[in-house]
Amino acid sequence: MAKQLDYHTLREIFTRFQAADAAPKGELDHVNVYTLVVAVALSAQATDAGVNKATKALFQIADTPQKMLDLGEEQVIEHIKTIGLYRNKAKNVIKLSRILVEQYGGEVPCSRAALESLPGVGRKTANVVLNMWWRHPAQAVDTHIFRVGNRSGIAPGKDVDAVERAIEDHIPVDFQLHAHHWLILHGRYHCKARKPQCPTCIIRDLCQFEDKTQ
């Protein structure tokens, strides 16, 4: 684990990220906040591309909690069976849809606690929804952010909660809104797990990763 980088280094890193991509976006397709919740919940242990392929037809016919309930669990399974853990995920989609209809009038709540109470929705999913839909500076730490944070020193931590706190505590406030997207995309396309693209990395000179590739 690298040591926590100082404020000025972090500001330079995120200034470079911002210059390269001023408004980074999540890669999960959705048409409203409800389909965003479903897409993020389905993305656990699956790729965004795989989820998008599975939900394209699903969201055309079920883009509200009530429509999803009307569709039923077996039809949800048929649409998402190419995604890992699809049976359990289909159960959760139906359960969370029923809760939204019965307890929230079919609307998705905008509080982290309420979101986390939904089946299949954990802190990471809640943070993604809060950030992408309501533009809260919430930090959704996935495997990419955990890896980048610890390799580089941007946000080191022993677990995802510690990395989340490190981002919130150390990254300059004006970069907080897009921070997790910059880090996810950097981890997905540049600071890869098996073969990081260090020679072409825009923060190579600031990163503390000792095993940089040549």
Side-chain angles (χ1 to χ4, degrees):
M1 185 190 301
K3 292 183 179 180
Q4 176 69 58
L5 293 171
D6 63 71
Y7 175 85
H8 296 291
T9 303
L10 288 172
R11 174 160 285 284
E12 176 61 24
I13 285 173
F14 282 91
T15 297
R16 294 183 190 181
F17 283 155
Q18 186 177 59
D21 186 358
K25 297 179 180 179
E27 297 183 322
L28 284 170
D29 294 338
H30 58 283
V31 297
N32 54 33
V33 65
Y34 168 69
T35 54
L36 176 60
V37 171
V38 173
V40 180
L42 293 177
S43 71
Q45 300 181 46
T47 65
D48 287 0
V51 172
N52 289 340
K53 186 176 181 180
T55 58
K56 184 176 182 179
L58 176 63
F59 290 161
Q60 288 177 351
I61 58 175
D63 60 357
T64 69
Q66 187 59 59
K67 289 179 182 178
M68 196 70 76
L69 289 175
D70 293 342
L71 188 63
E73 186 176 321
E74 289 305 313
Q75 284 301 308
V76 173
I77 286 174
E78 283 301 307
H79 280 89
I80 69 168
K81 61 185 180 183
T82 56
I83 302 175
L85 307 174
Y86 65 92
R87 289 189 182 279
N88 190 54
K89 289 178 179 179
K91 288 181 184 297
N92 283 335
V93 167
I94 293 298
K95 287 178 181 178
L96 72 84
S97 298
R98 183 169 290 111
I99 290 172
L100 290 176
V101 168
E102 294 178 352
Q103 298 183 23
Y104 297 98
E107 300 295 325
V108 175
C110 61
S111 83
R112 180 185 283 115
L115 287 167
E116 286 189 57
S117 72
L118 299 173
V121 176
R123 186 176 181 85
K124 181 172 78 92
T125 297
N127 281 348
V128 170
V129 175
L130 289 170
N131 182 281
M132 289 180 62
W133 194 260
W134 284 292
R135 298 182 69 79
H136 292 186
Q139 307 302 329
V141 178
D142 68 352
T143 55
H144 296 302
I145 294 182
F146 187 79
R147 179 173 67 254
V148 172
N150 279 291
R151 273 181 177 174
S152 64
I154 291 173
K158 293 182 179 180
D159 53 40
V160 294
D161 291 338
V163 171
E164 181 181 333
R165 287 194 299 273
I167 294 173
E168 293 174 343
D169 291 346
H170 298 287
I171 291 175
V173 173
D174 49 322
F175 296 117
Q176 287 275 337
L177 179 61
H178 294 310
H180 94 273
H181 277 132
W182 280 317
L183 293 171
I184 286 172
L185 296 172
H186 191 66
R188 183 173 291 162
Y189 298 110
H190 302 285
C191 193
K192 300 177 181 179
R194 295 184 179 179
K195 193 177 181 181
Q197 310 296 302
C198 298
T200 57
C201 176
I202 63 173
I203 63 167
R204 177 187 173 93
D205 58 315
L206 304 173
C207 171
Q208 291 194 22
F209 184 42
E210 294 180 354
D211 300 321
K212 290 186 178 74
T213 56
Q214 300 301 314

